[in-house]
Structure formats: structure tokens, C-alpha cells
Amino acid sequence: GENVEQHPSTLSVQEGDSAVIKCTYSDSASNYFPWYKQELGKRPQLIIDIRSNVGEKKDQRIAVTLNKTAKHFSLHITETQPEDSAVYFCAAFGGGSNYKLTFGKGTLLTVNP
Amino acid sequence: DTAVSQTPKYLVTQMGNDKSIKCEQNLGHDTMYWYKQDSKKFLKIMFSYNNKELIINETVPNRFSPKSPDKAHLNLHINSLELGDSAVYFCASSQVIDGNTIYFGEGSWLTVV
């Protein structure tokens, strides 16, 4: 089955700096890669996603890049703010008949004021 | 006007008891899921249903039994609760089964004592 590795597990940055979280996946048939943000005690919420036919997608301060050949994708947050502090999860959706979204283990991002 | 709602939000129960968590979505989605998030924040799929049909059944003990009376509802019944069942259980839904945004409910915090 699909295996998603996520790094780093914790990340601490100063407000205004950029943050990068990286993920790799194992199943080359995977075709959909969402990123979720989970604040303490809350539900995971989608912040951005990318499909396998696209290499990069941007939404204001958030961008995601996908390298299908290397099977890795990354989340970039620029001009970080304290409210960006949360756990971020990458995920990969299996292609073919593997109808399963597999999550990475999460990155705890702390943005220090 | 919650899109995916689950009850109860908090549940404290003794080992050996049987309990149920109910989930409803009003998004008109075809696919519903149960995810388990353990103390290390790892999100792992347990079950998924598409139009009331079981699609994914991960290696979950038989004590866990999902039931989908219609495509807007997916309940989770747990028999003979064990200490290791303590976790947050998230219900979720997506429009279709194939690579769409998954929307999570607020979670049900289960503590087994």
C-alpha cells in the first residue's frame, strides 16, 4: 500500500520567516495530494491541494510543489504568522482502485512572535 | 449549519463497555469515512463507505463495526472497549470516492478508563 513520509516532525520559525514541509510517497499511481492544517483540539482542514498533472499551485502565502518523478511534494508557507502555528499533514490519494487517502505523520509548526 | 457532524463530542467510558458514535453529513456527498487519531496525532483510516457500500476496511479489530443506513449517515459501534481504543475518532465525507477533498467532522474524544 501507499506509504507517506513527512519531515520534519517539528518546525520552529520566527514570525515573517518561511516554512517548508516535505513529503514523499511510495505509490507512483497516486494522483491527488492535499495538505491539511489541524489546530489544537480542532478538526483537520484542507488548506491546499495539488493533482498529479500540475507541478505547482499557489494560494496567497501558501504554495505546494509536486515532483512526480521523485515522488515528493512540499508545502511552502511564506511570511509566517503566529496563527499559522498548528500541525500540518500531507496526504496522498492512491490511484487505480486504491481509494484511500494516506496521511503523513504530521509536522508541528510553531511560529514565534 | 455544520457540514459533517458527529456525536458525542466527548465520551468517557469503562473498559468492556459498548459504545456508538454517530455521524451525519449534509453536503450530499457519496463517500463517508472513519479516521482514528491516536495520542501521537497520527491519522489513520479505519473504514470508508461509498453510497452505503463498504469500500475500505483496514485492519481494524472486529469489535469495531460501522453501519451506514443511508449515504448521509455513517455510525461506528465499538464493542468491549479497551484502554487502547482511547483516541479521537473523526468522521469525514467527500463528494465522490475518487480523489476529492475530504471534509472532517469535529471529532469524538473517546477515553476508556
Side-chain angles (χ1 to χ4, degrees):
Chain A
E2 175 66 275
N3 183 43
V4 177
E5 298 283 340
Q6 181 171 347
H7 299 280
S9 56
T10 61
L11 179 59
S12 182
V13 300
Q14 288 299 122
E15 184 176 358
D17 286 352
S18 294
V20 180
I21 303 170
K22 298 183 179 183
C23 289
T24 59
Y25 61 99
S26 60
D27 186 353
S28 56
S30 289
N31 56 20
Y32 173 63
F33 307 91
W35 286 86
Y36 283 81
K37 175 184 180 183
Q38 187 178 26
E39 296 175 355
L40 187 63
K42 305 279 187 182
R43 75 185 87 187
Q45 290 194 289
L46 180 78
I47 54 171
I48 195 166
D49 56 12
I50 191 167
R51 297 194 180 271
S52 58
N53 58 347
V54 175
E56 185 173 356
K57 185 175 178 181
K58 190 172 180 181
D59 183 4
Q60 298 182 350
R61 298 186 295 109
I62 294 173
V64 59
T65 58
L66 171 65
N67 183 327
K68 279 179 8 181
T69 305
K71 290 189 281 189
H72 68 69
F73 55 116
S74 301
L75 177 72
H76 304 252
I77 306 174
T78 58
E79 300 171 29
T80 53
Q81 300 165 3
E83 50 266 39
D84 293 330
S85 296
V87 178
Y88 290 81
F89 293 94
C90 64
F93 186 86
S97 60
N98 182 14
Y99 298 118
K100 188 164 72 168
L101 189 64
T102 301
F103 284 85
K105 292 192 175 181
T107 296
L108 174 61
L109 172 65
T110 303
V111 180
N112 302 300
Chain B
D1 199 24
T2 308
V4 182
S5 58
Q6 53 185 110
T7 56
K9 185 162 184 176
Y10 300 102
L11 186 54
V12 180
T13 188
Q14 290 190 324
M15 272 181 13
N17 283 351
D18 303 338
K19 290 293 176 187
S20 292
I21 306 172
K22 295 186 175 182
C23 179
E24 176 182 5
Q25 54 95 2
N26 63 5
L27 296 166
H29 288 172
D30 286 347
T31 310
M32 295 186 72
Y33 311 83
W34 278 109
Y35 278 86
K36 179 181 180 180
Q37 187 170 46
D38 60 24
S39 57
K40 294 183 179 177
K41 302 294 185 186
F42 187 39
L43 268 168
K44 187 165 168 53
I45 191 166
M46 301 172 69
F47 303 101
S48 79
Y49 273 73
N50 189 55
N51 280 318
K52 302 195 301 175
E53 181 187 348
L54 180 65
I55 301 296
I56 293 173
N57 183 349
E58 289 292 275
T59 28
V60 176
N62 290 337
R63 300 181 293 103
F64 290 79
S65 53
K67 272 207 178 131
S68 182
D70 55 61
K71 73 173 193 178
H73 295 84
L74 180 61
N75 303 323
L76 182 65
H77 188 74
I78 315 170
N79 288 327
S80 304
L81 278 156
E82 300 177 358
L83 293 176
D85 297 332
S86 297
V88 183
Y89 293 85
F90 285 100
C91 177
S93 73
S94 62
Q95 187 171 13
V96 292
I97 196 169
D98 193 4
N100 257 239
T101 304
I102 288 181
Y103 296 86
F104 286 87
E106 292 188 334
S108 294
W109 272 254
L110 173 65
T111 303
V112 182
V113 297

